[in-house]
Amino acid sequence: IIDIISGRVAGFEALARWVSPSLGVVSPGEFIPIAEHNGRIAPMTRTLLEKALEAARAWPDDVYLSFNLSPHDMTTQEGTLRILAIVEASGINPARINFEITETAVMHDFKQAKVSAKMLRHLGASVSLDDFGTGFSSLSHVHRLPLSKLKIDGSFVRNINEEPSSYKIVKSVLALCADMGLDTVIEGVETENELKVLR
């Protein structure tokens, strides 16, 4: 995650990868939904978070970790408390951690997701809404959740220099974030032209 003004690395997003001895490389698009379906995602999340926090220990103090939470990680207070315990046991300043939640997590149980997000914020971590702009009621979630960031989906960035509608959407969301005091992460920036337009 690059700071667009300074060009420095602001953070890293932890991404789950699996190389199976028998299956070879297994896409997270395959194993994450299966883990969610069979109830294994919560222990997987906890293991991955411990590994990610261990890696983050070696980073400079001004570089943060961004970590994705599953809808299942947000639906019980007990699950959120386990995540908080892992963060506290790591010794890493919670201010260096950003938890990404999806609109799916929020829609699954909005009341509990809001409680979980408040618990994470109270710890000192930030909370961002991932894939913003691809769901059905994102604006209401931005208004009602204790968020610190929005992550604009990469689908709006591809060919932003050639698509006037994508340009207008991104510009409007950036203005909204500025008005609400929210940081913004824009994913999928891959070309100099895209970066130039975003600047």
Side-chain angles (χ1 to χ4, degrees):
I1 302 164
I2 307 294
D3 184 310
I4 201 169
I5 304 300
S6 67
R8 74 173 185 86
V9 174
F12 291 98
E13 180 177 352
L15 299 172
R17 294 294 181 262
W18 179 25
V19 180
S20 164
S22 55
L23 301 173
V25 176
V26 183
S27 164
E30 292 181 56
F31 70 81
I32 296 288
I34 292 170
E36 288 179 333
H37 179 72
N38 69 18
R40 299 298 301 161
I41 193 67
M44 184 184 293
T45 293
R46 294 192 290 269
T47 299
L48 291 171
L49 180 57
E50 287 170 352
K51 288 177 178 286
L53 289 168
E54 180 65 32
R57 270 200 196 91
W59 305 345
D61 288 342
D62 61 345
V63 175
Y64 73 89
L65 166 70
S66 198
F67 189 89
N68 296 281
L69 294 178
S70 155
H72 296 274
D73 299 319
M74 301 288 290
T75 53
T76 67
Q77 192 165 331
E78 179 191 358
T80 308
L81 286 170
R82 287 186 175 192
I83 289 167
L84 298 180
I86 290 169
V87 172
E88 289 180 335
S90 75
I92 290 198
N93 182 352
R96 291 182 57 205
I97 305 167
N98 173 62
F99 288 103
E100 297 188 21
I101 60 174
T102 63
E103 193 169 18
T104 307
V106 173
M107 291 177 72
H108 190 72
D109 184 346
F110 182 84
K111 188 175 178 182
Q112 182 55 50
K114 185 175 181 180
V115 169
S116 295
K118 280 184 176 178
M119 291 168 70
L120 295 169
R121 291 297 308 274
H122 183 72
L123 179 69
S126 60
V127 177
S128 62
L129 188 61
D130 197 5
D131 299 331
F132 183 76
T134 60
F136 298 102
S137 55
S138 292
L139 283 176
S140 69
H141 297 150
V142 171
H143 169 63
R144 295 164 61 200
L145 286 170
L147 299 172
S148 40
K149 293 187 174 110
L150 287 187
K151 189 172 181 184
I152 299 175
D153 189 73
S155 61
F156 294 108
V157 177
R158 283 187 282 283
N159 302 318
I160 191 172
N161 50 316
E162 299 167 6
E163 294 286 341
S165 59
S166 291
Y167 178 89
K168 289 175 183 174
I169 288 169
V170 171
K171 187 176 180 184
S172 298
V173 174
L174 289 173
L176 172 71
C177 289
D179 286 345
M180 295 186 72
L182 297 173
D183 289 334
T184 315
V185 174
I186 304 174
E187 67 179 15
V189 182
E190 296 181 352
T191 70
E192 286 294 333
N193 280 337
E194 290 166 353
L195 184 60
K196 183 178 177 183
V197 170
L198 291 171
R199 278 206 174 100

